Amino acid sequence: MQTLKQYRAAEALERQLGDPLNDANTLSFKNAMSWDEAEAFPQPAVDLLYRLGVNHHYVPASYGGRFTSYEEFQSLARSVARRDLATAVTFSTLVWSTLVWVGGDEQQKRRMAKTLRWTKEALCLAYSEEHHGADLIANECRAEKTAQGWRLNGEKWPINRATRSGGMAVLAKTGRERDSRSLSLFMVDKLDLDPAAYTNLPRVKTYGLRGCDISGVRFDNCQIPERSLIGDVGQGLELALRAFQVTRTLCAGLSLGVADTALRSTLDFALNRKLYGGTVFDIPNARRMLGEAFIDILICDCMATAAVRGLHVSTEQFSVWSAVAKYFVPATLERTVQELSVVLGARHFMRERHQHGIFQKMLRDGAVVGLFDGSSQVNLHALGLQLRHTTKARRNAGPDTARDERLATIFDLGRVLPSFDGRRLDLFSRGRDDVMQGFASALEHLHGLDSGTEVDGVVLGHLLRLTDEAMQALLALDALLDGPQGRALNPQSSQLFTYAKQYCVLHGAATCLHMWLYNRARLDGYFAAGEWLALALQRLLGQLRPQPDTLPNAYHEHAAERLKHLHDHQKLFSIVPLQLAPSHSNEEEKHHDRANTR
Amino acid sequence: MTAQILAKQTDPHGVGLAQHEIESRLTDMLAETLRIAPAEIDVSRPLPHYGLDSIDAVTLAGDLEDWLNVELPSTLLWDYPTVEGIASYLGEALRAQPAQTAHAPQDSQGIDDDLLDHLDDLEPGQIDALLDELIP
């Protein structure tokens, strides 16, 4: 099967980066571990990504860059993340250019494009302050208008790449009031600054991402030029929240990279470790756990892929959709990796030996994804507040051909996406959520499938039963939210967080169903057969309440076999199993690829 | 920001509501969100003083949309952070564009004709608004 066009860049990057198990490669597990142990900044890896031109993917094509879609963009980030999350998180601070693409003027966009394409000046996001966390309005760092521009005073901490960056996106108070229009956003170029007017704050020691430059900055009457201001005075929070809708969505790809390595590393061990006259993989329970981790990855893969495609199509809905993706995917995969540690046993606790101890590093590093760019709690709160509106909008939504068309564009992976238009990002979705509003029509579609010819009758029976259960759960959640009890919920109520989690689970169920329906004829036989979907739905429903395993054991066995097949052929654990770097080092091939990329 | 409704609902409510009626309904909605008595809310005091955070304010704009059946800027309450400010914005917006919001896809002349055809079905407030529109 030919690789979908949007994944060819990731396959090329895979070949260029090479097998992470080959110690000679820059982005090898061995190097990633040694940087981590030394708490050293992964400079060689960052340099390599620049040499390979990955920075060009952060710049829209209209500004001379190579960005085509967030789907392609995410697949590249995932390839880096599966090798070393510290490198991925360090390099991906370039994504804060989103603030300029979304809110900057023409000149600012041109300048940003130039910086990203032709220099190695990195960016950092200077929002957080030591005493205020996610409470951005309480920030104390202040910008005062001067004759030449603005004067900054205050501290930002902890900030990833604060010291080792050339540009800083600084959110600063420009209003006196403690309100939503009291903040403005500045893209500060360090070259414009008097070196005496700012100080880098020392690096902080962290649990994971130990090589990252997580430090801070202090401004003392620091003069910045007028052109630093992005958007209007008072527009800072609005721009910050709109750009977060993009970057939060992209976080899913980082978690998927981590989970891929955690599972691949564990599986490698399970296949080779001899115990009781067989391998760990021969033990039914171990095989079951590996298969379940694989299904978790497929669920999150569907959610991440749909969301990055959705950014181009249902852009106005991302106050809901980004919160679902940012909460659900990191939280689910963090638990998946935790569960895999049981299969890996004592080796998961070692900082050496099996694959240089990469598993424990992935476990530690991966835990950060649920924290940054708005924590799980921040996202659940933002989602919870909108649930009454999504419920109402869904109840009032009848058949809608425009929505069907949007869903087809999002989910049919063969369709070309329209260009992303950041101006359409909105802080409130007005209850719109195409994935959930289209759930009922997806069920109709499923009911209309011909048992036996289009899909195996037994599989279809399970899918009908499980999707019906998901729909019942959604209606029950609607009734709770719409009833007197739901309407009386305090915006800070912990119950609202629970409802938001349940909504995410059901969003996952609807997403997997849409993905299958739209791509049965496009993707491979394992995808088309639908057993994975039945397993995924059962696993999702199990998060709502305990479920007996009602699926044939063969489905679990086939999942484990599929997993082993992808592993043996160096394919990504994904519904689109793109070709990873070959496990042998072939220098000629590498040179050939490098010559072809620029 | 000029007072305007972004959207295109077929049946806006609240057209022609008096300023004090909008204020009173707004105060009730806020009191419910903030879990305080309506009497505690001063219409001229900025809402962040009552603990309304940025995201709550965006959601509340959504509640206003539901009530009035119109589409409003998500950041309405950021730009008009007091009850009287919001009410005056809404009053002005609803007065300014009742016809357009009622029948967005049509051109304005056609809309007026259409409304005039159904004069008997209109609420007194809508008639007032229509008169305001027709007699500048």
Side-chain angles (χ1 to χ4, degrees):
Chain A
M1 201 180 61
Q2 216 193 352
T3 305
L4 290 161
K5 190 168 174 282
Q6 63 269 34
Y7 294 107
R8 285 185 206 150
E11 287 193 338
L13 183 63
E14 277 289 335
R15 291 191 297 270
Q16 291 163 333
L17 295 178
D19 182 7
L21 285 170
N22 179 347
D23 297 349
N25 287 321
T26 304
L27 260 168
S28 64
F29 291 150
K30 181 169 188 275
N31 284 340
M33 275 305 300
S34 73
W35 297 322
D36 190 65
E37 288 292 315
E39 303 193 3
F41 188 78
Q43 192 65 51
V46 171
D47 290 342
L48 174 63
L49 294 176
Y50 272 110
R51 269 204 309 283
L52 297 175
V54 178
N55 48 314
H56 291 264
H57 287 275
Y58 288 79
V59 181
S62 50
Y63 289 89
R66 273 195 239 140
F67 176 89
T68 54
S69 73
Y70 281 113
E71 188 181 18
E72 179 181 86
F73 183 89
Q74 168 149 281
S75 67
L76 297 170
R78 192 168 167 177
S79 267
V80 179
R82 83 176 186 94
R83 292 170 166 83
D84 179 25
L85 192 66
T87 298
V89 163
T90 293
F91 197 82
S92 71
T93 59
L94 298 186
V95 83
W96 298 119
S97 55
T98 304
L99 290 159
V100 172
W101 309 132
V102 169
D105 61 29
E106 194 52 33
Q107 224 179 350
Q108 289 167 329
K109 288 179 185 173
R110 285 212 201 117
R111 198 163 52 240
M112 180 57 75
K114 211 171 132 189
T115 305
L116 296 192
R117 291 173 65 206
W118 308 121
T119 77
K120 286 167 84 177
E121 293 296 352
L123 304 175
C124 72
L125 188 76
Y127 288 2
S128 296
E129 294 184 9
E130 181 170 7
H131 301 293
H132 304 293
D135 186 2
L136 298 177
I137 287 177
N139 275 357
E140 292 170 58
C141 180
R142 175 163 286 283
E144 270 155 317
K145 191 81 194 75
T146 63
Q148 302 83 19
W150 297 83
R151 189 169 49 232
L152 290 173
N153 272 296
E155 281 187 15
K156 292 289 177 181
W157 183 96
I159 308 297
N160 180 33
R161 233 181 158 174
T163 304
R164 290 166 178 262
S165 59
M168 291 179 283
V170 179
L171 198 59
K173 288 292 256 195
T174 44
R176 288 283 154 199
E177 290 292 330
R178 201 193 126 85
D179 67 33
S180 310
R181 290 295 188 200
S182 62
L183 294 166
S184 300
L185 192 74
F186 300 89
M187 191 58 81
V188 175
D189 187 337
K190 283 185 185 168
L191 289 175
D192 289 335
L193 309 184
D194 172 2
Y198 77 98
T199 319
N200 295 317
L201 302 177
R203 257 176 78 180
V204 60
K205 289 188 170 189
T206 49
Y207 164 72
L209 299 182
R210 291 174 58 183
C212 283
D213 162 27
I214 296 174
S215 52
V217 63
R218 187 175 67 239
F219 302 105
D220 300 293
N221 287 320
C222 185
Q223 184 67 38
I224 56 172
E226 183 60 43
R227 63 178 155 84
S228 319
L229 177 69
I230 307 292
D232 297 328
V233 173
Q235 217 189 349
L237 184 65
E238 184 184 346
L239 275 174
L241 292 175
R242 285 167 65 206
F244 268 149
Q245 290 179 8
V246 175
T247 59
R248 284 175 181 171
T249 304
L250 293 170
C251 284
L254 299 176
S255 290
L256 279 163
V258 167
D260 189 284
T261 290
L263 178 53
R264 202 171 295 274
S265 180
T266 305
L267 182 60
D268 214 65
F269 171 78
L271 289 167
N272 293 304
R273 170 77 159 171
K274 298 276 192 299
L275 276 179
Y276 314 113
T279 66
V280 171
F281 192 71
D282 294 329
I283 303 170
N285 194 48
R287 206 160 57 239
R288 172 69 65 99
M289 289 171 83
L290 290 162
E292 285 177 340
F294 176 54
I295 296 299
D296 280 348
I297 289 179
L298 293 187
I299 293 168
C300 292
D301 186 39
C302 287
M303 291 181 81
T305 304
V308 284
R309 291 181 64 89
L311 269 172
H312 292 254
V313 181
S314 302
T315 318
E316 297 81 0
Q317 303 176 12
F318 268 71
S319 60
V320 167
W321 207 341
S322 68
V324 170
K326 175 63 170 66
Y327 165 71
F328 188 85
V329 174
T332 300
L333 294 177
E334 209 180 309
R335 199 189 52 233
T336 303
V337 176
Q338 196 66 252
E339 285 170 5
L340 280 170
S341 66
V342 176
V343 181
L344 194 54
R347 271 156 192 76
H348 106 265
F349 209 64
M350 295 178 190
R351 283 159 47 212
E352 58 184 351
R353 308 287 291 251
H354 178 65
Q355 299 192 349
H356 306 283
I358 197 68
F359 187 96
Q360 57 79 35
K361 174 167 152 55
M362 288 290 172
L363 185 64
R364 281 185 292 110
D365 289 355
V368 82
V369 187
L371 291 177
F372 60 30
D373 272 31
S375 67
S376 297
Q377 298 309 302
V378 164
N379 282 288
L380 286 173
H381 180 236
L383 176 61
L385 287 176
Q386 296 190 70
L387 288 183
R388 264 185 309 118
H389 295 274
T390 58
T391 293
K392 189 177 168 198
R394 195 154 12 83
R395 205 179 41 224
N396 296 337
D400 179 348
T401 50
R403 185 185 61 227
D404 293 343
E405 182 56 25
R406 287 196 299 273
L407 283 169
T409 309
I410 293 166
F411 282 97
D412 180 344
L413 299 184
R415 289 231 197 167
V416 176
L417 292 168
S419 297
F420 172 72
D421 181 0
R423 289 169 301 187
R424 288 168 56 198
L425 294 166
D426 197 336
L427 302 189
F428 184 59
S429 88
R430 306 193 156 76
R432 284 173 296 194
D433 180 348
D434 283 341
V435 169
M436 294 302 253
Q437 285 182 6
F439 191 24
S441 61
L443 287 188
E444 273 173 42
H445 186 169
L446 185 66
H447 277 268
L449 289 184
D450 188 34
S451 165
T453 60
E454 285 187 286
V455 57
D456 175 78
V458 180
V459 173
L460 185 58
H462 286 299
L463 293 180
L464 289 170
R465 174 177 56 80
L466 291 162
T467 49
D468 183 60
E469 269 180 54
M471 182 49 94
Q472 295 309 319
L474 179 60
L475 295 175
L477 179 60
D478 283 346
L480 282 170
L481 285 160
D482 227 14
Q485 193 195 343
R487 283 197 301 271
L489 276 182
N490 181 313
Q492 299 300 335
S493 147
S494 59
Q495 192 61 41
L496 207 58
F497 287 77
T498 307
Y499 291 157
K501 282 184 193 171
Q502 292 175 352
Y503 189 83
C504 290
V505 170
L506 295 167
H507 207 278
T511 300
C512 291
L513 176 61
H514 286 305
M515 196 60 89
W516 183 69
L517 288 171
Y518 281 103
N519 295 285
R520 287 186 310 122
R522 184 173 299 286
L523 299 179
D524 55 51
Y526 180 78
F527 180 87
E531 292 179 5
W532 72 270
L533 178 60
L535 291 168
L537 292 168
Q538 178 171 275
R539 201 148 166 80
L540 285 164
L541 290 167
Q543 289 198 27
L544 300 179
R545 58 189 155 80
Q547 296 272 318
D549 181 10
T550 51
L551 296 173
N553 190 49
Y555 293 10
H556 294 282
E557 287 298 324
H558 295 159
E561 282 164 23
R562 168 71 170 183
L563 172 66
K564 182 175 179 304
H565 173 85
L566 295 178
H567 168 268
D568 292 350
H569 292 81
Q570 287 100 39
K571 298 282 186 88
L572 188 70
F573 299 147
S574 165
I575 57 166
V576 187
L578 55 92
Q579 186 64 54
L580 302 176
S583 61
H584 59 281
S585 147
N586 185 329
E587 286 308 314
E588 251 176 47
E589 228 175 69
K590 224 188 260 176
H591 282 303
H592 179 73
D593 281 335
R594 210 163 278 176
N596 276 339
T597 48
R598 297 297 293 270
Chain B
M1 188 164 72
T2 52
Q4 62 164 336
I5 288 167
L6 301 176
K8 317 199 157 158
Q9 263 72 8
T10 50
D11 178 26
H13 309 144
V15 174
L17 276 179
Q19 174 95 2
H20 71 88
E21 290 173 289
I22 300 180
E23 282 186 9
S24 147
R25 178 60 196 263
L26 257 173
T27 304
D28 288 345
M29 288 169 80
L30 266 168
E32 201 183 320
T33 302
L34 298 168
R35 297 290 184 278
I36 56 177
E40 284 180 52
I41 296 177
D42 174 347
V43 296
S44 61
R45 194 161 188 234
L47 298 173
H49 289 271
Y50 296 98
L52 189 83
D53 76 22
S54 312
I55 303 295
D56 292 337
V58 168
T59 315
L60 207 61
D63 292 334
L64 289 177
E65 290 188 341
D66 278 359
W67 168 42
L68 298 166
N69 204 25
V70 294
E71 202 162 297
L72 300 166
S74 307
T75 51
L76 174 66
L77 273 66
W78 294 12
D79 295 308
Y80 297 85
T82 63
V83 170
E84 63 182 7
I86 302 161
S88 119
Y89 174 95
L90 291 176
E92 195 188 321
L94 290 166
R95 268 195 306 280
Q97 305 189 330
Q100 192 187 329
T101 47
H103 300 270
Q106 302 176 24
D107 66 76
S108 61
Q109 195 51 52
I111 292 158
D112 294 341
D113 291 346
D114 191 40
L115 274 179
L116 291 171
D117 287 343
H118 298 91
L119 213 52
D120 290 346
D121 303 330
L122 296 180
E123 312 258 330
Q126 285 175 293
I127 295 174
D128 287 347
L130 191 60
L131 287 174
D132 284 351
E133 173 93 349
L134 292 175
I135 310 163

